[in-house]
Amino acid sequence: MRRRSFLTAVGAAAAAGLALKLARDHDEAALRADVFIAQAASYTEDLEQILRNGLKELGLGPAAFKGKTVLLKPNLVEPTRTDPQINTHPAVVRAAGEVFRRWQAREVIVAEGQGHCRDSQYVLDQSGLAPVLAESRLEFIDLNHDDVVPVPNALGRTRLRELMLPVTLRRADLVVSMPKMKTHHWAGVTLALKNLFGVMPGICYGWPKNVLHYAGIPESILDIAATVRPHLAIVDGIIGMEGDGPIMGTPRASGVLVMGTNLPAVDATCARLMGIDPWRVAYLAGASGRLGPIAEAHISQRGEDLAPLIQPFKILNNPSLAYLRS
């Protein structure tokens, strides 16, 4: 068995057990959240209008962003233009930036601390985001090399007593997680919560954030989310990734954008759209009752109905990952 296969099997088995344990730890009965699902067949559609409509349905209009500094955190995991399933599409980043600017945000910045390639400019160029940033006059901050400040770990699921966070997060009034809808060979799925690994500076946590992997991926996700406290998620599921995610998988045209202010609820909705039981995803089960609701009965679905849009994503051909659908 290859090392990666072995680690995937061990990690998945541990995640399955952790998910079942964490699901019993907290009661989310008093928690409720709204999640908006929009259909978008391609990246050439009027994404600005789709985002405006969704945000307004969630009760977020111009007043929520006027005079604020908004930080957009896309997922730029690999330098590629030819594989649209890997990175958050530049068109979605552009559309979000334009919406918030038209709603009189004081400034909109794009920030990322990608986990693999250390050359941020190369990643921006190869992902197609660099020309979009230039045309839209959007500032980019490399979070891997930002100044850092120690912040107490707000949840303590890992043994990390404090998290070293980029100072740019303090500059932002609103943090928007903008992931790609993908499967993940260790975490099960990678969505708005897992995307927050990219705010953790590589100069402190390594490439690909090995300190956090060693501390425990599900536990680290929960600690980061509780400490950073992001304000909004916009998930790019127009073309997602199935199979051996988050890098080696294949494209899956889901034709959706999913958004909401509670990241566990957004991620649980995305998991269901992918045909994956969110209660079987360790970090989502761990978020339940602590960071938000994931039970379907506690999430008010706005926009499109969930059921007709479900498209079961392929997962790794590995029996150890079957728990995601059991």
Side-chain angles (χ1 to χ4, degrees), residues 131-150:
V132 168
L133 296 175
E135 293 165 10
S136 301
R137 303 182 308 282
L138 289 169
E139 179 185 3
F140 178 79
I141 303 293
D142 180 355
L143 298 180
N144 276 329
H145 299 280
D146 201 6
D147 291 335
V148 298
V149 59

Side-chain angles (χ1 to χ4, degrees), residues 141-303:
I141 303 293
D142 180 355
L143 298 180
N144 276 329
H145 299 280
D146 201 6
D147 291 335
V148 298
V149 59
V151 178
N153 185 336
L155 190 59
R157 297 302 303 187
T158 67
R159 295 181 179 180
L160 301 174
R161 298 178 62 181
E162 59 186 17
L163 301 181
M164 305 301 292
L165 297 181
V167 295
T168 298
L169 291 180
R170 289 190 167 184
R171 173 179 163 192
D173 299 302
L174 299 170
V175 175
V176 184
S177 181
M178 300 187 66
K180 177 70 86 171
M181 185 185 289
K182 298 188 287 189
T183 54
H184 193 284
H185 55 246
W186 287 331
V189 293
T190 174
L191 298 159
L193 288 167
K194 175 64 174 66
N195 187 44
L196 296 176
F197 260 44
V199 306
M200 307 303 286
I203 56 172
C204 298
Y205 294 96
W207 282 264
K209 313 300 167 77
N210 290 320
V211 172
L212 302 177
H213 287 211
Y214 181 78
I217 292 175
E219 297 88 348
S220 293
I221 292 171
L222 295 171
D223 283 354
I224 295 166
T227 305
V228 173
R229 301 178 65 184
H231 305 85
L232 178 65
I234 300 173
V235 182
D236 173 10
I238 297 175
I239 297 178
M241 178 186 289
E242 63 183 356
D244 192 6
I247 297 172
M248 304 299 292
T250 54
R252 183 61 183 264
S254 298
V256 294
L257 291 171
V258 184
M259 61 196 87
T261 57
N262 185 273
L263 273 63
V266 170
D267 283 5
T269 298
C270 289
R272 292 187 173 98
L273 287 167
M274 301 164 75
I276 291 172
D277 181 359
W279 290 104
R280 295 281 175 167
V281 178
Y283 67 86
L284 290 179
S288 169
R290 294 179 177 85
L291 305 179
I294 70 168
E296 193 168 2
H298 299 158
I299 301 172
S300 176
Q301 302 292 169
R302 299 183 178 273

